[in-house]
Amino acid sequence: SAVISQKPSRDICQRGTSLTIQCQVDSQVTMMFWYRQQPGQSLTLIATANQGSEATYESGFVIDKFPISRPNLTFSTLTVSNMSPEDSSIYLCSVMGIEGQPQHFGDGTRLSIL
Amino acid sequence: GDSVTQMEGPVTLSEEAFLTINCTYTATGYPSLFWYVQYPGEGLQLLLKATKADDKGSNKGFEATYRKETTSFHLEKGSVQVSDSAVYFCALRPGAGSYQLTFGKGTKLSVIP
């Protein structure tokens, strides 16, 4: 399966600032997704990152708060904007190599907002 | 909409005990079903999958059978080890070209020597 690298692995940020998380895959993949895992909770899909076009956001998530880029088939970024303590979570990138195959996840970015 | 219900944790077992983690789902059509495992401080790893009714997924001694009649996908292992301590997530993916995953809430397993 694809090797997925997420950066940073963790960060502590100040309220009101923004952080960009990077997801790099070692091979071209058809689909890339961003999930949020709040403390002690399950995973919730934020959006599907579309190559060359705007991401597709799930209900409750908006582009102004979570802008996403996907300039090519191996790379995507998620920005968490104007952060508040409620944004403290693990953010995970996942990829699907070939359409219909299982999703594989990166190790996540552990984000704490003070 | 689609949903996944897992048994509440945490679950604490002694080494070599038998493990069952229950998972039931609600979905239209013919979803694919997955179990993912999250070890402390790590991301999710795919443990096993099943794509159609009566399929059995297996990996590392874990098994789960896709039961359409009971809409279930229970995870089992005959003899757990301390290294199996982790959080286990059941998930479904709708069919018909939709690839988003819906996760259960997760079940934390602790195995003691």
Side-chain angles (χ1 to χ4, degrees):
Chain A
S1 60
V3 176
I4 305 164
S5 301
Q6 242 185 274
K7 293 181 181 179
S9 58
R10 61 180 67 241
D11 207 340
I12 301 172
C13 300
Q14 296 296 320
R15 186 192 302 251
T17 62
S18 298
L19 178 75
T20 296
I21 301 167
Q22 299 180 358
C23 179
Q24 178 74 56
V25 193
D26 69 343
S27 59
Q28 293 185 346
V29 294
T30 55
M31 303 190 77
M32 298 181 78
F33 304 89
W34 288 97
Y35 289 83
R36 181 176 72 183
Q37 185 179 21
Q38 294 177 299
Q41 302 298 312
S42 186
L43 282 78
T44 301
L45 179 65
I46 297 171
T48 302
N50 300 310
Q51 193 252 333
S53 64
E54 193 171 287
T56 304
Y57 289 85
E58 298 299 306
S59 176
F61 297 96
V62 295
I63 188 171
D64 290 346
K65 176 67 175 177
F66 298 102
I68 288 170
S69 78
R70 189 180 174 193
N72 56 51
L73 294 176
T74 64
F75 185 77
S76 178
T77 66
L78 167 74
T79 299
V80 186
S81 303
N82 188 24
M83 289 183 286
S84 66
E86 293 70 36
D87 294 319
S88 297
S89 295
I90 302 173
Y91 292 87
L92 297 113
C93 168
S94 78
V95 306
M96 187 167 66
I98 299 173
E99 195 165 311
Q101 292 300 307
Q103 290 183 31
H104 294 276
F105 286 79
D107 282 343
T109 295
R110 284 151 182 79
L111 184 57
S112 297
I113 315 304
L114 302 180
Chain B
D2 297 344
S3 66
V4 176
T5 303
Q6 278 182 247
M7 63 184 288
E8 295 286 329
V11 174
T12 301
L13 295 174
S14 298
E15 206 165 20
E16 299 184 2
F18 184 86
L19 168 71
T20 300
I21 300 178
N22 290 338
C23 172
T24 57
Y25 68 90
T26 302
T28 55
Y30 303 95
S32 295
L33 301 172
F34 305 87
W35 278 100
Y36 283 87
V37 58
Q38 186 175 35
Y39 297 103
E42 299 184 11
L44 270 69
Q45 297 179 23
L46 177 66
L47 183 59
L48 54 83
K49 66 179 175 72
T51 57
K52 60 184 187 298
D54 299 326
D55 266 3
K56 177 186 282 188
S58 61
N59 186 25
K60 299 181 181 180
F62 291 90
E63 293 183 341
T65 301
Y66 188 151
R67 301 286 188 198
K68 191 168 177 63
E69 64 276 14
T70 54
T71 62
S72 65
F73 192 54
H74 305 321
L75 182 68
E76 297 182 336
K77 186 175 185 182
S79 176
V80 294
Q81 305 300 312
V82 172
S83 57
D84 293 326
S85 297
V87 180
Y88 293 81
F89 292 94
C90 184
L92 75 79
R93 185 181 71 198
S98 177
Y99 301 111
Q100 292 90 340
L101 291 173
T102 298
F103 285 87
K105 291 186 175 181
T107 302
K108 183 175 181 179
L109 170 67
S110 297
V111 180
I112 55 177

